Amino acid sequence: MSVDKYENMPALVDVFQQFARADWRKKTMWGGLKASEVRMLVCVKQSNDKGTTGTTVTEISKILQVTSPTVTQMLNSLIAAGYLIRTADKNDRRITEITLTVKGDQIAQKAVNRYRAIFTGMIDQLGKEKSDQLVEMLNEVFQYLESANNNKDL
């Protein structure tokens, strides 16, 4: 008896639709901040925790893989809300450094703790072997989707 290799396609589509419906990226967290804004605070925190006095728009842009104008727009919003501070570099006034305020650091630390709890819980649930397999499979899925997205024939 032959098995149709595409028989699980409906189940695969359903799973992807569940992730789309969950849409965690668009949910607001911690006082109305968007997930992208929280990611930026975490990015600045991680940079500051490495011992640098501040980070730059270019560094944030590279880490978050978004354009500098996108970073600048989010920065302006987070500065206005009191989560970040922008200062001129002491050695080169053309460069601005971004640092967290106490309020921003508190949110970033809560986010780091939450992400850590979610992913350690996921590893505990799946076990190391399945977690490693999941990482490998998700990387393969990402690479496939990137390639399919760049293929104009599909």
Side-chain angles (χ1 to χ4, degrees):
M1 169 155 82
S2 88
V3 175
D4 179 7
K5 72 177 183 178
Y6 302 110
E7 72 180 299
N8 67 347
M9 190 185 320
L12 192 56
V13 170
D14 286 346
V15 169
F16 273 84
Q17 287 176 343
Q18 286 174 356
F19 279 105
R21 279 191 302 272
D23 209 3
W24 296 297
R25 295 170 300 145
K26 296 208 186 323
K27 291 189 176 159
T28 60
M29 309 178 207
W30 302 296
L33 290 177
K34 297 175 189 163
S36 58
E37 293 170 325
V38 174
R39 277 193 306 276
M40 180 173 291
L41 294 177
V42 169
C43 174
V44 174
K45 178 169 183 46
Q46 290 171 336
S47 177
N48 292 348
D49 287 351
K50 289 179 184 172
T52 59
T53 55
T55 189
T56 65
V57 169
T58 303
E59 291 167 344
I60 295 169
S61 177
K62 285 178 187 174
I63 293 166
L64 297 179
Q65 298 180 350
V66 295
T67 65
S68 290
T70 300
V71 170
T72 301
Q73 184 179 7
M74 274 197 290
L75 278 176
N76 290 339
S77 171
L78 291 168
I79 290 168
Y83 294 103
L84 295 172
I85 300 171
R86 182 185 333 208
T87 56
D89 183 274
K90 293 170 184 66
N91 300 321
D92 186 343
R93 306 224 19 104
R94 295 170 297 176
I95 299 172
T96 58
E97 293 181 332
I98 311 302
T99 55
L100 293 166
T101 63
V102 171
K103 179 179 171 183
D105 189 63
Q106 289 171 343
I107 296 294
Q109 188 59 55
K110 284 181 185 178
V112 167
N113 293 343
R114 178 158 168 75
Y115 297 152
R116 188 173 292 125
I118 286 171
F119 287 100
T120 57
M122 188 183 307
I123 292 167
D124 289 343
Q125 175 75 25
L126 297 173
K128 175 148 178 37
E129 186 178 330
K130 283 185 179 178
S131 297
D132 289 343
Q133 290 171 351
L134 179 61
V135 168
E136 187 178 321
M137 287 189 294
L138 287 174
N139 278 321
E140 287 178 29
V141 168
F142 179 80
Q143 289 169 1
Y144 169 76
L145 292 174
E146 283 290 297
S147 130
N149 191 40
N150 292 331
N151 184 350
K152 304 302 180 206
D153 294 335
L154 292 180

